[in-house]
């Protein structure tokens, strides 16, 4: 196996066409096809499936290409650092469900490290994409939650994709709504109290599943429900329609604004916030620092201390 073969596989996966990939690589299409066949024979898996619609990457191929990207990127960093004598920025990426506290932790980490020596990326996205981004090396970490309902199914998916979940802290369930909502002043809210108001949830796209839902009680029969695909729209729906969603209760005012609040939901359900990483690959120093920043919210929960900008 050579670096050239890895680059070939990455280019074919990105192009989804052997002809287009060959043009980008400035080699003949038969030579590229032969190199890919040799690579598949060597690693013992089918990386690409040839169809009359072009090239499709197999599930095994997706995993292989993910590893190939990391090898090629790491080689480029070594080459630039030690051969070309360039100053190369270290990279760190994180994917997450829609958690304002995870974004705030990212902001604080970037402020502390600065961007002169680092290249950062953050993806606030759907649950399936959080898993895929970590699996395919797009992100070093993925921030999501498990509970009694989704733990077994998601745990199986993590295992199949060579990923592992590490707990950070447990949260009770809260109702998140705008401060002018008729129920905002209550000390505790039941699901029955919420029946006259629209339930808001984050759309999970084509990979929609109860187990991928970012909100607990995903199988509950809500009388009214609206799906949104970003946090700003969710907040507008809360204020405009007296909508609500379910959350961990950790809210950052300086990201979401001060017009929203979290009220305890009357339930014994809990959710475990944690991080997803690839098995066998140690965390980078900056990944560890990001987790330290997020872990500060555990102190908030345990001691009910409310730092500036955070409601718990």
């Amino acid at each position: 196996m050579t670096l050239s073969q890895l680059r070939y596989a990455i280019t074919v996966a990105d192009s989804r066409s052997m002809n287009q990939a060959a043009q980008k690589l400035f080699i003949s299409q038969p030579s590229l096809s032969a190199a890919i066949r040799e690579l598949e024979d060597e690693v013992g898996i089918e990386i690409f499936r040839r169809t009359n619609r072009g090239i499709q990457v197999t599930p095994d191929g997706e995993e292989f290409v993910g590893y190939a990207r990391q090898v090629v990127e790491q080689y480029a960093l070594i080459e630039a650092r030690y051969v070309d004598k360039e100053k190369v920025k270290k990279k760190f990426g994180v994917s997450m469900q829609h958690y304002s506290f995870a974004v705030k932790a990212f902001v604080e980490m970037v402020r502390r490290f600065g961007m002169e020596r680092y290249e950062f990326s953050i993806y606030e996205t759907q649950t399936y994409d959080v898993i895929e981004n970590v699996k395919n090396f797009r992100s070093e970490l993925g921030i999501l939650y498990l509970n009694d309902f989704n733990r077994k199914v998601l745990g199986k998916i993590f295992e199949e994709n060579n990923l592992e979940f590490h707990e950070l802290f447990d949260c009770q369930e809260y109702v998140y709504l705008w401060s002018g909502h008729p129920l905002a002043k209550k000390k505790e809210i039941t699901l029955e109290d919420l029946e006259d108001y629209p339930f808001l949830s984050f759309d999970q796209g084509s990979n929609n599943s109860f187990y991928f839902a970012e909100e607990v009680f995903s199988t509950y029969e809500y009388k009214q429900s609206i799906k949104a695909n970003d946090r700003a729209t969710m907040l507008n729906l809360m204020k405009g329609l007296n909508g609500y969603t379910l959350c961990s209760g950790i809210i950052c005012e300086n990201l979401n604004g001060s017009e929203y609040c979290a009220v305890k939901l009357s339930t014994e359900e809990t959710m475990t916030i944690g991080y997803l990483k690839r098995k066998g690959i140690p965390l980078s120093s900056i990944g560890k620092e990001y987790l330290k920043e997020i872990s500060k919210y555990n102190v908030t929960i345990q001691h009910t201390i409310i730092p500036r900008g955070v409601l718990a």
Side-chain angles (χ1 to χ4, degrees), residues 9-10 13 16 40 43 45-49 56-69 135-136:
I10 292 168
R16 303 293 168 130
E40 290 178 321
V43 297
I45 62 170
E46 182 186 35
I47 302 172
F48 302 107
R49 187 167 293 129
Q56 291 182 346
V57 187
T58 67
D60 285 339
E62 290 281 3
E63 182 177 14
F64 177 83
V65 170
Y67 280 104
R69 289 186 197 279
K135 168 190 169 184
N136 295 324

Side-chain angles (χ1 to χ4, degrees), residues 6-168:
L6 297 183
R7 292 192 182 101
Y8 292 170
I10 292 168
T11 305
V12 173
D14 291 341
S15 303
R16 303 293 168 130
S17 164
M18 202 67 73
N19 287 329
Q20 290 181 17
Q23 291 173 12
K24 291 178 182 178
L25 292 164
F26 301 102
I27 62 174
S28 68
Q29 190 269 330
S31 295
L32 177 59
S33 295
I36 293 297
R37 280 196 297 272
E38 289 175 5
L39 178 62
E40 290 178 321
D41 289 342
E42 183 175 355
V43 297
I45 62 170
E46 182 186 35
I47 302 172
F48 302 107
R49 187 167 293 129
R50 290 77 170 168
T51 71
N52 54 8
R53 294 184 178 181
I55 297 293
Q56 291 182 346
V57 187
T58 67
D60 285 339
E62 290 281 3
E63 182 177 14
F64 177 83
V65 170
Y67 280 104
R69 289 186 197 279
Q70 188 184 45
V71 171
V72 171
E73 288 172 3
Q74 290 297 322
Y75 177 81
L77 289 174
I78 292 172
E79 188 176 47
R81 178 73 172 84
Y82 295 103
V83 179
D84 300 331
K85 307 300 183 183
E86 295 179 3
K87 291 183 178 178
V88 181
K89 289 186 174 182
K90 296 180 181 180
K91 295 184 178 182
F92 173 74
V94 60
S95 295
M96 62 191 66
Q97 293 173 322
H98 296 80
Y99 297 132
S100 59
F101 67 86
V103 177
K104 184 67 168 70
F106 183 85
V107 169
E108 294 302 321
M109 180 200 64
V110 171
R111 283 176 177 170
R112 187 165 68 253
F113 281 89
M115 289 180 283
E116 291 185 0
R117 295 185 296 117
Y118 296 93
E119 181 179 317
F120 297 104
S121 57
I122 180 171
Y123 307 98
E124 191 176 28
T125 187
Q126 299 163 341
T127 304
Y128 177 84
D129 291 331
V130 172
I131 298 170
E132 286 292 298
N133 285 351
V134 178
K135 168 190 169 184
N136 295 324
F137 300 90
R138 193 180 189 193
S139 295
E140 180 178 341
L141 298 173
I143 308 299
L144 39 68
Y145 88 94
L146 296 181
N147 67 353
D148 289 342
F149 175 72
N150 68 11
R151 188 179 302 271
K152 187 173 181 179
V153 171
L154 292 188
K156 186 174 185 294
I157 293 173
F158 300 160
E159 184 67 28
E160 290 172 349
N161 289 285
N162 203 34
L163 304 174
E164 55 189 28
F165 179 84
H166 296 265
E167 297 182 4
L168 287 170

Side-chain angles (χ1 to χ4, degrees), residues 146-207:
L146 296 181
N147 67 353
D148 289 342
F149 175 72
N150 68 11
R151 188 179 302 271
K152 187 173 181 179
V153 171
L154 292 188
K156 186 174 185 294
I157 293 173
F158 300 160
E159 184 67 28
E160 290 172 349
N161 289 285
N162 203 34
L163 304 174
E164 55 189 28
F165 179 84
H166 296 265
E167 297 182 4
L168 287 170
F169 48 80
D170 292 327
C171 304
Q172 293 183 307
E173 281 298 322
Y174 283 78
V175 182
Y176 189 33
L177 29 69
W178 81 290
S179 56
H181 193 286
L183 301 176
K185 302 300 182 184
K186 291 176 69 72
K187 291 184 177 180
E188 192 168 278
I189 297 176
T190 67
L191 287 173
E192 288 72 24
D193 293 331
L194 295 164
E195 286 186 351
D196 293 331
Y197 306 101
F199 170 65
L200 310 176
S201 62
F202 284 107
D203 180 51
Q204 297 299 317
S206 59
N207 296 290

